[in-house]
Amino acid sequence: MENNLTYTKSGDYLIPDLTLGETPEAKPLGKYGRMRREYLKEHRPVLWNTLLLSGKLFPHLREIDETASSRLERMMPELKKSAGVTEELKASDPMKWVGLMNTLKAQAEEILLSELIYN
């Protein structure tokens, strides 16, 4: 096993010359990526540290965020159809439409949280 690590002497101590890997400039994490980050910090500290130290944390969070967002976009039309939420309902009874839409989004998010965020 090769050790390509270099050290700098500081007094009586050898301090490793550590550098961070290249991180691509990217947009900030979305809601689901931030939720996953908090879950890992609080409830899965070993996995959090492993991902953080290996440089795989941000790609993991980005993947979770993108996956959750795309699944939510795919689930909402199906849920709207099964609940009978239509544009006619939106025009005739906007408050009922908003209530149903909020309920459907909450249902979809519960599924995403249990499958992607909190596992």
Side-chain angles (χ1 to χ4, degrees), residues 4-19:
N4 295 332
L5 198 56
T6 59
Y7 296 87
T8 302
K9 188 163 184 145
S10 176
D12 292 336
Y13 300 102
L14 288 175
I15 299 173
D17 298 323
L18 300 176
T19 58

Side-chain angles (χ1 to χ4, degrees), residues 4-119:
N4 295 332
L5 198 56
T6 59
Y7 296 87
T8 302
K9 188 163 184 145
S10 176
D12 292 336
Y13 300 102
L14 288 175
I15 299 173
D17 298 323
L18 300 176
T19 58
L20 292 176
E22 294 291 322
T23 55
E25 291 297 320
K27 63 180 182 176
L29 286 175
K31 173 184 178 179
Y32 302 108
R34 291 189 312 267
M35 290 172 80
R36 177 69 173 171
R37 179 181 61 200
E38 292 306 312
Y39 171 75
L40 291 175
K41 270 185 179 177
E42 293 292 321
H43 301 286
R44 305 281 303 275
V46 174
L47 180 57
W48 164 262
N49 283 323
T50 302
L51 291 170
L52 182 63
L53 295 174
S54 67
K56 296 178 182 175
L57 178 64
F58 191 76
H60 170 74
L61 297 175
R62 169 77 53 221
E63 181 182 357
I64 292 290
D65 188 51
E66 290 172 357
T67 302
S69 296
S70 67
R71 285 193 55 198
L72 182 64
E73 287 177 18
R74 284 193 317 252
M75 288 170 68
M76 284 303 290
E78 295 172 14
L79 289 172
K80 284 169 45 177
K81 185 177 179 182
S82 67
V85 178
T86 62
E87 289 298 314
E88 291 81 31
L89 177 63
K90 183 178 181 180
S92 65
D93 192 355
M95 292 305 290
K96 182 176 181 181
W97 181 86
V98 168
L100 286 171
M101 288 298 291
N102 286 340
T103 301
L104 295 177
K105 186 170 183 190
Q107 287 175 352
E109 283 188 335
E110 276 298 315
I111 294 168
L112 293 176
L113 293 178
S114 66
E115 291 179 359
L116 292 174
I117 309 299
Y118 302 139
N119 70 15

